[in-house]
Amino acid sequence: LQVLFQNILLAWVSKKCIPSVAAFTFWIGQEETTKMGFFELSVSTTNTAWASTRLSKEDALDILDTKILPNDEYGKRIQYGRDAQGINKLVTADDPKLALTYGEFSTQSTDSLLDLALSYIKNPQGAIEMLDLGSGCGRLAIYLTLSRGTDQLPWHIHGIEISELLHSVASEAVTLGIQNYLLEYGTNEINDRRNCLALYHGAAQDLKDILGQMDLIFAYSTVWKTCGFSEKLGAMILDQEWSELLASSCRPGCIVITTDRALD
């Protein structure tokens, strides 16, 4: 897995490690946790948007890259990310604002990781609940809403973003999806088998109820704060606040995918 996905680390929340896929495994318990060092924010959400149709991965990516979040506007989104960081001077490597560095993760790599993670979900019921933790401008969340699942097992995609600016850009992208007849606002109908998308603005610590509903969580954690290198795992370890937050919030069996950093 580390070679195939360029040192991307899969963290499976469970009791036991699976060495054959270089998985990092953690037991979800109900441990008492101390106050986390996240930003204090109020929580807001967009209306739930439902996918009007389910597209192939190729068609979903093409529409995303040309009509919703165009490739030729990537530089603009990077600038939004810098503005969201609020860095207007040189900073040290341990500045917490660096954890807000904006980036766009490969959809192909995401699909591969999600496919692997799905193999550990036993007898899924109703729908797959999946969270993009740090959803930025909404690129991955919208792509997955348009392309994932089946009529028998739809996906409910959620995105949590701490930056109000990036959340706003993502909300505008959802609006473009609606204008292109790919998404639509509405309420859940009985036996609705469509994919849906909900985006939340706030800190993860304030959205524990959302974390607790998830089957899958994806975190593009490459620039997140670490507490050192683990020779045992052969990876940098995410700061303890993340392991504690997920351990206290996620339900048993939830699968957490992190990039370039492992949970402890």
Side-chain angles (χ1 to χ4, degrees), residues 161-195:
E161 175 52 50
I162 198 170
S163 163
E164 183 176 7
L165 174 58
L166 298 184
H167 174 76
S168 176
V169 174
S171 299
E172 292 174 3
V174 171
T175 299
L176 286 174
I178 292 171
Q179 292 173 352
N180 282 279
Y181 306 102
L182 300 168
L183 301 169
E184 58 187 21
Y185 285 135
T187 57
N188 188 8
E189 301 174 2
I190 296 176
N191 296 324
D192 199 325
R193 310 314 295 166
R194 295 176 296 170
N195 292 348

Side-chain angles (χ1 to χ4, degrees), residues 235-255:
M236 298 297 292
I237 302 300
L238 282 169
D239 199 74
Q240 192 65 27
E241 61 189 2
W242 286 109
S243 294
E244 292 176 351
L245 175 64
L246 294 169
S248 65
S249 304
C250 296
R251 61 190 182 192
C254 174
I255 298 171

Side-chain angles (χ1 to χ4, degrees), residues 10 38 58 63 67 70 74 87 100 107 144 154 156 161 182 188 195 200 209 214 243 264:
L10 173 65
F38 296 95
E58 293 77 13
I63 289 175
K67 295 184 177 181
Y74 174 72
I87 296 177
L100 302 177
T107 57
L144 295 172
H156 296 167
E161 175 52 50
L182 300 168
N188 188 8
N195 292 348
Y200 308 87
D209 57 330
M214 296 301 112
S243 294
D264 184 9

Side-chain angles (χ1 to χ4, degrees), residues 86-202:
I87 296 177
N88 52 17
K89 60 180 181 180
L90 290 176
V91 297
T92 59
D94 59 351
D95 192 303
K97 290 182 178 180
L98 292 177
L100 302 177
T101 301
Y102 180 76
E104 295 183 350
F105 195 73
S106 161
T107 57
Q108 183 179 6
S109 294
T110 302
D111 278 325
S112 297
L113 287 167
L114 291 177
D115 288 342
L116 178 58
L118 275 177
S119 66
Y120 297 108
I121 298 179
K122 307 301 181 184
N123 302 317
Q125 302 294 321
I128 296 293
E129 302 289 341
M130 186 266 177
L131 170 67
D132 183 5
L133 183 55
S135 50
C137 295
R139 187 172 184 272
L140 269 186
I142 294 173
Y143 166 76
L144 295 172
T145 303
L146 296 177
S147 63
R148 275 278 157 178
T150 64
D151 289 342
Q152 291 71 39
L153 190 65
W155 282 48
H156 296 167
I157 307 297
H158 308 258
I160 291 177
E161 175 52 50
I162 198 170
S163 163
E164 183 176 7
L165 174 58
L166 298 184
H167 174 76
S168 176
V169 174
S171 299
E172 292 174 3
V174 171
T175 299
L176 286 174
I178 292 171
Q179 292 173 352
N180 282 279
Y181 306 102
L182 300 168
L183 301 169
E184 58 187 21
Y185 285 135
T187 57
N188 188 8
E189 301 174 2
I190 296 176
N191 296 324
D192 199 325
R193 310 314 295 166
R194 295 176 296 170
N195 292 348
C196 66
L197 170 64
L199 300 174
Y200 308 87
H201 167 235

Side-chain angles (χ1 to χ4, degrees), residues 63-74:
I63 289 175
L64 186 72
D65 287 343
T66 58
K67 295 184 177 181
I68 300 179
L69 291 165
N71 281 331
D72 59 8
E73 294 183 1
Y74 174 72

Side-chain angles (χ1 to χ4, degrees), residues 220-242:
Y220 188 9
S221 56
T222 299
V223 298
W224 292 8
K225 184 180 177 182
T226 67
C227 57
F229 182 81
S230 167
E231 293 185 2
K232 180 179 179 180
L233 296 179
M236 298 297 292
I237 302 300
L238 282 169
D239 199 74
Q240 192 65 27
E241 61 189 2
W242 286 109

